[in-house]
Each structure stands twice: as structure tokens, then as C-alpha cells.
């Protein structure tokens, strides 16, 4: 057994893999919604409001587990603080800030670097080893992402332009990679619903002074049906449900395999556009989706 890599010897966990399908769906919607309301919801207000709603929604279900695990939170306090700051506080705030000046498409493309960053940082800092077949799966799924982004025409890569917002979002991707790796060092006996809730508590406390500062500058939400609906969506689906499921999935199948599922975001982004924006589904969508699913399948293969 490879003790240096907690991802290397997990049994093929079909339930864990199925659990990991839903978070990218909810997060794809998060990018689209955040970009849509950028004029009416300042980034810190959106992040702060999101986590307040998430905490109110989750606390009744998590309180019992939080009380039981309080000694464990203190025992592993630096690990808990690390995942809360990296994956909840910094990641979402940076994404919302970046989406002020870049497109949701660019944001989702940059999101697809997360599995690569997880593998890179895992090997660099934690001695993780990746089998060749997993690396092939990772590259195949990333190729599928590019096929969707460039609409099946590789010359479109040359027309992609990146801005200051893209750099901000890329820094968020680095935060998420470390969040995924650090989740693995929090023992499995720590209840994942309670863990999600304590991360949100930390995020709300840390974001409060930034929210008050943004409010004092005059950058305030403009309340209308769209902004209220957007806040309700980001407060429940990508915040509570996606985080709980992702935490459970990482605990079950490991960081590297869980990270590959983030490549499903452009798949869901394309399908959501067809359903709600009446955009057409093209052949390049199907080719890209096929490559992504094949890559995920390869990444989960055993020796």
C-alpha cells in the first residue's frame, strides 16, 4: 500500500463517484448567476449574503454534529481553519471579484485547471503519486473541456483573451486545489455536514469586516426579483448542497479523483444554456462531453 498517497488505494466507490456529479452542476450555475447579477450585487456582498443564507439553512441539520465534534474541531483547529479560509472564504470571494471583469465562460475554463493543480500540488508538497492511466484520464477530460470552450475549433484558442479578472479567478483555483488536498487530512470521523457548517461560520466572521468596508464605499446591492433569486440560489445549492456532497465525495474517493469531476462544469454549463437560454447543442458539445466522461472513467480505474 502506498502510504504517501491516500488516493492511491481506494476501492472503486460507485456511490462516492455518483455523489461527485452534483457539485459541478450547482457550481456551474453559480458562475452563470454571479456573472448575471454583477451590476446589482457587489462581490463581497454576494459572498457574505451567500454564506449567511447557507448558515441559516444548514445550521438546524448540522448543530447536533457540530456540538459532538467540537473537541475535534479544536484538536484539528489549524486544518479546519485552513480549509475554511481557502475553500469557503477566499475561493468564492475571489471568483465573484474576478467575474466583475471577465466572462463566465473564462471562469469555467479556468476552473478546469483545478484537477491539474490538485495533482501538481499533491506531488510537490504531499508526495502523491499518480498512475499513468489516471494522468491520461486527467488530460483526456481536460481536452474535452477545451473542445467545448473553443466550440470544436482549435484556432479559437488564439482568440481567447485573459484579463485582470482571469488572474483573480486563477488565484481562486489555487485556493480550491489546496482546499481539496487539505480536506483529506481531516479525519473521516469528523462529520462532513458539521464540518461544512463550521467552515461557513468561519467564513461569515472573516467576511464581515470586508462586507462592512464595501458597504461604506457605497457599493451596495440593488434589490429586485433577479438579485433576490440569485442570492437564494447561491446561498443554498452551490453553498450548502454542493459543499456537503463534495466533502463527502473527497472523503470517499480521494482528492485526485474528486478533482477530475470539476471538469463536468462546462458540460453542465452547456446543458443549462440549452435548457434555460435556448442555445443549440452542437456536435462539439457531444465530443467534448464524451471525452470528459471517458477521462473521468479512466481516472477512477484501478491497477
Amino acid at each position: 500500500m502506498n502510504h504517501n498517497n491516500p488516493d492511491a488505494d481506494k476501492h472503486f466507490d460507485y456511490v462516492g463517484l455518483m455523489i461527485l456529479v452534483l457539485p459541478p452542476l450547482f457550481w456551474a450555475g453559480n458562475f452563470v448567476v454571479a456573472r448575471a447579477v454583477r451590476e446589482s450585487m457587489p462581490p463581497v456582498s454576494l459572498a457574505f449574503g451567500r454564506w449567511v443564507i447557507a448558515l441559516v439553512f444548514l445550521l438546524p441539520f448540522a448543530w447536533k454534529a457540530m456540538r459532538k465534534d467540537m473537541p475535534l474541531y479544536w484538536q484539528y483547529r489549524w486544518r479546519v481553519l485552513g480549509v475554511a479560509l481557502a475553500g469557503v472564504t477566499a475561493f468564492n470571494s475571489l471568483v465573484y471579484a474576478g467575474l466583475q471583469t471577465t466572462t463566465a465562460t473564462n471562469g469555467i475554463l479556468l476552473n478546469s485547471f483545478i484537477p491539474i493543480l490538485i495533482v501538481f500540488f499533491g506531488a510537490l508538497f504531499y508526495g502523491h503519486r499518480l498512475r499513468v492511466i489516471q494522468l491520461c484520464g486527467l488530460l483526456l477530460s481536460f481536452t474535452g473541456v477545451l473542445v467545448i470552450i473553443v466550440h470544436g475549433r482549435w484556432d479559437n484558442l488564439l482568440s481567447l483573451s485573459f484579463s485582470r479578472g482571469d488572474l483573480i479567478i486563477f488565484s481562486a483555483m489555487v485556493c480550491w486545489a489546496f482546499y481539496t488536498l487539505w480536506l483529506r487530512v481531516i479525519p473521516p470521523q469528523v462529520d462532513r455536514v458539521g464540518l461544512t457548517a463550521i467552515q461557513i461560520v468561519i467564513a461569515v466572521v472573516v467576511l464581515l469586516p470586508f462586507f462592512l468596508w464595501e458597504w461604506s464605499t457605497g457599493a451596495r446591492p440593488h434589490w429586485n426579483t433577479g438579485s433576490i433569486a440569485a442570492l437564494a440560489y447561491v446561498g443554498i445549492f452551490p453553498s450548502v448542497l454542493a459543499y456537503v456532497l463534495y466533502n463527502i465525495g473527497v472523503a470517499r474517493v480521494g482528492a485526485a479523483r474528486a478533482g477530475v469531476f470539476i471538469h463536468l462544469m462546462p458540460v453542465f454549463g452547456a446543458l443549462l444554456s440549452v435548457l434555460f437560454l435556448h442555445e443549440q447543442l452542437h456536435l462539439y458539445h457531444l465530443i467534448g462531453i464524451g471525452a470528459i466522461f471517458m477521462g473521468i472513467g479512466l481516472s477512477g480505474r484501478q491497477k
Side-chain angles (χ1 to χ4, degrees):
M1 182 177 291
N2 178 9
H3 295 285
N4 290 327
N5 187 355
D7 300 329
D9 296 295
K10 284 278 185 183
H11 295 295
F12 198 82
D13 186 345
Y14 290 99
V15 175
L17 296 176
M18 290 301 295
I19 285 171
L20 286 164
V21 171
L22 288 175
L25 170 61
F26 299 146
W27 287 328
N30 180 49
F31 273 78
V32 174
V33 168
R35 176 66 178 170
V37 299
R38 68 188 184 279
E39 299 292 339
S40 57
M41 291 292 293
V44 180
S45 297
L46 183 59
F48 181 75
R50 166 185 179 168
W51 294 122
V52 169
I53 291 173
L55 186 60
V56 170
F57 184 85
L58 185 60
L59 204 54
F61 304 98
W63 179 247
K64 185 177 179 180
M66 291 172 70
R67 288 184 63 186
K68 177 179 68 71
D69 287 344
M70 200 60 71
L72 292 174
Y73 298 153
W74 180 251
Q75 182 181 350
Y76 301 104
R77 55 191 176 276
W78 298 116
R79 298 179 186 181
V80 172
L81 182 63
V83 294
L85 293 178
V88 182
T89 311
F91 173 77
N92 293 280
S93 302
L94 290 169
V95 165
Y96 292 156
L99 286 172
Q100 298 289 308
T101 53
T102 191
T103 64
T105 298
N106 276 24
I108 291 175
L109 171 61
L110 289 164
N111 222 73
S112 301
F113 281 97
I114 288 177
I116 297 172
L117 292 172
I118 291 171
V119 170
F120 176 72
F121 292 140
L124 185 63
F125 297 113
Y126 299 99
H128 291 188
R129 289 188 295 175
L130 193 71
R131 297 195 306 276
V132 173
I133 193 168
Q134 285 183 294
L135 183 60
C136 290
L138 181 69
L139 294 176
L140 181 59
S141 63
F142 184 68
T143 302
V145 170
L146 287 180
V147 169
I148 293 174
I149 295 297
V150 302
H151 294 186
R153 295 184 55 183
W154 295 110
D155 55 317
N156 284 344
L157 277 175
L158 301 176
S159 64
L160 287 175
S161 58
F162 294 93
S163 64
R164 177 173 171 270
D166 295 308
L167 296 177
I168 295 173
I169 290 180
F170 185 77
S171 67
M173 303 306 117
V174 172
C175 290
W176 190 266
F178 279 110
Y179 171 72
T180 304
L181 290 164
W182 292 343
L183 275 177
R184 290 288 289 159
V185 297
I186 295 179
Q189 64 263 32
V190 178
D191 181 88
R192 262 35 195 181
V193 177
L195 178 62
T196 303
I198 197 67
Q199 292 176 67
I200 293 173
V201 170
I202 293 170
V204 168
V205 171
V206 173
L207 284 173
L208 178 59
F210 294 98
F211 167 71
L212 295 174
W213 170 81
E214 184 181 72
W215 187 276
S216 70
T217 65
R220 301 180 182 182
H222 299 289
W223 297 112
N224 52 53
T225 303
S227 61
I228 293 171
L231 195 56
Y233 172 82
V234 301
I236 297 171
F237 288 93
S239 304
V240 177
L241 299 179
Y243 271 78
V244 170
L245 293 172
Y246 191 74
N247 285 349
I248 294 170
V250 170
R252 292 183 68 122
V253 309
R257 285 185 192 142
V260 176
F261 277 76
I262 292 172
H263 281 166
L264 287 174
M265 283 185 60
V267 176
F268 290 127
L271 296 178
L272 289 172
S273 297
V274 171
L275 288 174
F276 297 108
L277 303 179
H278 307 294
E279 296 182 1
Q280 290 185 334
L281 194 66
H282 297 282
L283 178 61
Y284 65 79
H285 285 123
L286 301 179
I287 294 172
I289 290 169
I292 289 168
F293 277 108
M294 287 173 62
I296 290 173
L298 282 176
S299 71
R301 289 285 298 275
Q302 298 298 305
K303 293 181 183 178

